[in-house]
Structures are given as C-alpha cells and as structure tokens.
Amino acid sequence: MQDRVMDGEALAAFLGREFPQVAADFAIEELTADGIVMRLRVAERHLRPGGTVSGPSLFALADVAVYLALLSRIGPVALAVTTSASVDFLRKPEAGRDLIGAARLLKLGRRLAVGDVLIRSEGAAAVVARASMTYAIPPRP
C-alpha cells in the first residue's frame, strides 16, 4: 500500500472544511499502518427509540472512517465517493458510550478502494457492527 500523504491534522481540517455539517461528530483517534481509528461522539441526535445508536449513525462512522483512510493515502480528493456498502449490525451498542471504528484499507487501486471497519462501544471488546465499503476514486490529472 502506498505511503500516507495526509496526516491526522490535515484530515481533520479537510473534514471540517468540506463536511462542516458532520465534522464535529467525529474525531480521529489514530492513523494506523493500514487505516484509521475514528470516534463517533455519540449525542442524543444519534439515538433511536430504545436509547441505542441508530443504524444511520453507525453507517456514517464506517463511511467517514474508510473515506479518511483513503484520503490519507491519495490526498484531499473530495469527489471520491462510496459505490458500495454493506453493514452487519451484530449487537446493541452500550448506552452512554462513544463508538470507535477501526478501518483498514484492503485494496487501493487507481479507480477503486475497498475497506472494512469494525465498530465497538468505547472500552468494550465486542464488535457491534462490521462494515465493508468500496470507494470510487475519480481520475487524477
């Protein structure tokens, strides 16, 4: 896999500039050798009836994590887009805890990138969701 071209600070700045509507919901915890670890700062707006984190919020964490893992390798390509996504919801997240998504890029090609994400409640070992995401990378000059 190619070297990292954006660090955590650059990725956070990019997210804030290009996606200000959701940037405050997420924090970069760590850049890893093959991806990124992201935090979803769970707030009341992320909850569904029954007090659990909603499926769309779990999806958002997975999507943003793979997106930023990809951008860390290719640079600030705002028009890289999700082309395929699959999420397995395995168990109910623990109440009152942020969610942590550990994403890794499995393949980085010229036109497509494939990644997966394991999502856990902060401090818990059990995986609450697993996602597989494919991104299309626009042609670069």
Side-chain angles (χ1 to χ4, degrees), residues 81-123:
V81 295
T82 310
T83 59
S84 178
S86 173
V87 182
D88 297 311
F89 300 100
L90 305 173
R91 61 185 43 84
K92 183 178 176 178
E94 295 185 27
R97 293 189 183 186
D98 286 352
L99 294 178
I100 306 298
R104 61 187 177 142
L105 291 178
L106 303 173
K107 179 184 188 307
L108 176 54
R110 287 184 316 210
R111 302 298 299 253
L112 290 176
V114 177
D116 69 4
V117 185
L118 297 178
I119 299 174
R120 294 175 170 86
S121 295
E122 181 180 25

Side-chain angles (χ1 to χ4, degrees), residues 23-123:
D25 287 348
F26 301 100
I28 297 167
E29 295 290 302
E30 176 186 3
L31 289 174
T32 64
D34 58 357
I36 194 167
V37 178
M38 299 285 305
R39 172 184 299 269
L40 171 63
R41 296 178 178 120
V42 175
E44 189 171 337
R45 70 182 166 280
H46 301 113
L47 303 181
R48 57 165 306 203
T52 190
V53 178
S54 70
S57 296
L58 291 164
F59 176 89
L61 175 56
D63 197 35
V64 169
V66 172
Y67 183 57
L68 293 184
L70 171 61
L71 296 188
S72 78
R73 303 297 176 167
I74 67 170
V77 181
L79 295 179
V81 295
T82 310
T83 59
S84 178
S86 173
V87 182
D88 297 311
F89 300 100
L90 305 173
R91 61 185 43 84
K92 183 178 176 178
E94 295 185 27
R97 293 189 183 186
D98 286 352
L99 294 178
I100 306 298
R104 61 187 177 142
L105 291 178
L106 303 173
K107 179 184 188 307
L108 176 54
R110 287 184 316 210
R111 302 298 299 253
L112 290 176
V114 177
D116 69 4
V117 185
L118 297 178
I119 299 174
R120 294 175 170 86
S121 295
E122 181 180 25

